[in-house]
Amino acid sequence: MKAFDRILLSLNRWLVIVILAAMALMVFANVALRFLTDASILWVEEVSRYLMIWLTFLGAGLVLRYGGHIGIDNLQDAFPRQAHFIRALIFLLLLGFFSFMVWIGFRYAALTWGQTTPVMEIPVGIVYLAMPVGFLLLIVHLLLMAGPYIAKRRFIVDAEFDPESVKI
Amino acid sequence: MIAVLFIGCIVLLAIGVPVAFALGGGTLAAILYNGTMPLIALPKYLFSGMDVFALLAVPFFILAAELMTGGSLSEVLLRFASQFVGRFRGGLGHTNILTITFFSGISGSALADAAGPGAIMIRMMRKDGYHPEYAAALTAAVSILGPIIPPSISMIIYALVYPDINLVGLMVAGVMPGILIAVAMAIINHVISVRRNYRGVKQNLTVQDYWRNTWKALPALLLPAIILGGIAFGIFTPTEASVVAVFYALFAGSLIYRTLTWAMLPGILARSALVTASVLIIVAMSGAFAWVLTVSRVPQQLTELIVSMNLSPIAFMLAVNLLLLAFGIFIEPLPGIVVLVPILAPIAHALGINDLQFGIVVIVNLTMGMITPPVGGLLFVTSLVAKVPLMKMVKELWPFMYAQLVVLAMLSLIPAISTWLPNLFGYH
């Protein structure tokens, strides 16, 4: 289980790194091209938008592991003795919501599979799949963190990501 | 249905469900309760809320600020700022204010300011004999400039949820209010430094030193000029400016200042990607939330109601400010923007309040919430760096907060502070 978790975290991390790097490279190339030649690659705007959507849903699970989704923790702080019951409730609510999103997400992707995107003419379902896949990943991360989270509100801690940094 | 939407979201938020999923869950509850709305609308509007090219500026500005910090550009800016204000009383405090003000012209978020130049300044001020609580409080207070001086992630999201506003105009509108806040913070720093005898830094700078510091800082100083100038003069769209900033920071950090190494890149990219995901998942969920609001005609009805009350714009401004201040105590600016702006901005518009002025007031007010205890994002970061207990630091914050409230009142009463500069560039 530990080995599986380590591989999952590492894969998930590299996935978001590559997506963000690809987005930056292609949008920059397009700006440079527009300035130098007055032309631009049509599909860049579309593909970079879709990559951003995938990045959001693939990254959401990792953020959850770090305790980086902003929320209001005052209730748990106010009732330290009952806090693990509150967190168990949050866990169940999240599990239910994530499961629903996986189901509706797959349905939506399947329903729209026949439509294609304006420029690339690929099935829009490829974009919409990001949501159910992302929420499936969220479920996996939620289950992996459940024990330490419910008992002690413990998340992954390392120097790379400070959960406070998401408060823009 | 609207009652279910709001009560659902508030209950979920109150027990501690993360904002993104509380918005999504509340929306789902409202759709289920209504019964006639198709469930499939939820993913549909969730995607349409985030499938916007302008949103790409969010990950890119986050990444640019991370690269700037990794490339030690903060230190260079700091030395540049210090040679002008360092010798005065409270000199390091003034250096802190000036450095963060420059950095805000590169970064789009308050936390990037506090974690980048802010963290370095707190350590320097400690070493120089400032009370660490004071150093932390000053840094937290000045860091609110991040989203006020352009570029600004808050403004990108604001323009997304209220498309009637011009994003470029809003960004240009943030410049003067940002400078005003910086000046207000400098006045407080001066008064307290005189009282506590925080001395200036002894400097024996020759003319050559000035030239050298300025020359070294030039690549870093150019970036805010490129971003703001490029956006204001219409050379770049904000999205283009953001990606130019990324590669400029990469170039300056690795080739000019030589502190940014390739080995640092995966970490920087991963951090930026996660911040992006946590911001955009809220934006996505709020797309569905806003759709339920619109279908049930809440913004329109509320607008009609308030317009029919014959409320004066000033009274409305006051009410909005009080509401937002109360909101800001409990919640971060981003959820405040996605939930409240679609409701409040059309009302303000109908009452004849300038869109740009209203946008600035909302963003300044909500960002101030990041330094109001008990849950201010900036408080945690700065108290951690300064190694001081949060409550001790809050005592030092009051003078700064009062000064910011005065600025907020000025922004609310005098539209010209926000609208003068964008009007010059033709944005209204």
Side-chain angles (χ1 to χ4, degrees), chain A residues 102-122:
Chain A
V102 171
W103 173 73
I104 195 89
F106 276 122
R107 261 198 60 189
Y108 188 58
L111 263 174
T112 52
W113 199 267
Q115 301 167 25
T116 54
T117 65
V119 184
M120 295 277 287
E121 298 186 346
I122 50 170

Side-chain angles (χ1 to χ4, degrees), chain B residues 141 185 368 371-373 394 397-406:
Chain B
M185 299 300 97
M368 281 176 62
I371 56 166
T372 50
V394 169
L397 256 174
W398 290 116
F400 295 109
M401 281 203 258
Y402 287 133
Q404 289 178 355
L405 277 175
V406 171

Side-chain angles (χ1 to χ4, degrees), chain A residues 149-167:
Chain A
Y149 168 71
I150 294 174
K152 291 181 174 143
R153 193 156 98 205
R154 205 178 282 154
F155 302 99
I156 299 179
V157 182
D158 66 34
E160 183 163 293
F161 183 69
D162 169 14
E164 286 297 324
S165 67
V166 305
K167 297 170 179 173

Side-chain angles (χ1 to χ4, degrees), chain A residues 13-14 16-18 20-21 23-25 27-28 31 34-35 44-46 48-50 52-53 55-60 62-64 66 68-76 86 89-90 93-94 97-98 100-101 103-105 107-108 111 127-132 135 138 149 159-162 164-168, chain B residues 12-21 24-25 28 39-40 42-44 46-47 50-53 55-56 59-60 63 108-111 147 153-154 157 235-236 239-240 243-244 246-247 266-267 269-282 284-285 330-335 370 374-375 377 380-381:
Chain A
R13 173 175 177 271
W14 279 104
V16 295
I17 289 174
V18 170
L20 181 57
M23 281 160 58
L25 280 171
V27 176
F28 182 70
V31 176
R34 184 170 79 79
F35 269 81
V44 164
E45 194 173 318
E46 197 175 279
S48 55
R49 248 170 33 224
Y50 298 157
M52 172 175 70
I53 291 174
L55 173 70
T56 303
F57 288 108
L58 290 179
L62 267 188
V63 177
L64 190 73
Y66 281 100
H69 284 295
I70 54 176
I72 302 175
D73 299 325
N74 299 42
L75 192 71
Q76 295 166 49
I86 301 174
L89 178 64
I90 296 174
L93 285 167
L94 286 180
F97 180 65
F98 293 172
F100 170 81
M101 294 302 270
W103 173 73
I104 195 89
R107 261 198 60 189
Y108 188 58
L111 263 174
V127 185
Y128 295 152
L129 264 183
M131 190 181 109
F135 275 98
L138 270 161
Y149 168 71
E160 183 163 293
F161 183 69
D162 169 14
E164 286 297 324
S165 67
V166 305
K167 297 170 179 173
I168 60 155
Chain B
L12 288 173
L13 269 180
I15 60 172
V17 174
V19 172
F21 308 124
L28 174 61
L39 273 176
I40 215 82
L42 187 69
K44 181 167 182 238
L46 192 143
F47 278 111
M50 65 185 308
D51 191 7
V52 181
F53 187 66
L55 258 189
L56 276 155
F60 294 156
L63 181 55
S109 86
L111 256 298
I153 291 163
S154 297
I157 311 287
I235 303 167
F236 298 127
T239 312
E240 288 174 334
V243 80
V244 168
V246 166
F247 282 85
L269 281 164
R271 249 196 316 278
S272 310
L274 293 193
V275 178
T276 302
S278 73
V279 170
L280 293 189
I281 194 93
I282 295 177
M285 295 295 167
F330 297 103
I331 214 149
E332 301 297 326
L334 177 63
M370 296 186 80
V375 280
F380 295 120
V381 174

Side-chain angles (χ1 to χ4, degrees), chain A residues 28-39:
Chain A
F28 182 70
N30 222 14
V31 176
L33 210 61
R34 184 170 79 79
F35 269 81
L36 297 175
T37 68
D38 227 30

Side-chain angles (χ1 to χ4, degrees), chain B residues 39-111:
Chain B
L39 273 176
I40 215 82
L42 187 69
K44 181 167 182 238
Y45 288 96
L46 192 143
F47 278 111
S48 68
M50 65 185 308
D51 191 7
V52 181
F53 187 66
L55 258 189
L56 276 155
V58 172
F60 294 156
F61 277 130
I62 292 169
L63 181 55
E66 285 280 351
L67 287 168
M68 292 292 277
T69 302
S72 310
L73 271 69
S74 318
E75 283 92 332
V76 186
L77 285 174
L78 198 155
R79 227 167 294 137
F80 173 77
S82 164
Q83 63 184 354
F84 295 113
V85 294
R87 61 175 171 277
F88 299 124
R89 215 175 263 271
L92 269 184
H94 289 307
T95 306
N96 188 349
I97 296 168
L98 199 56
T99 308
I100 292 184
T101 308
F102 278 131
F103 197 82
S104 299
I106 298 161
S107 90
S109 86
L111 256 298

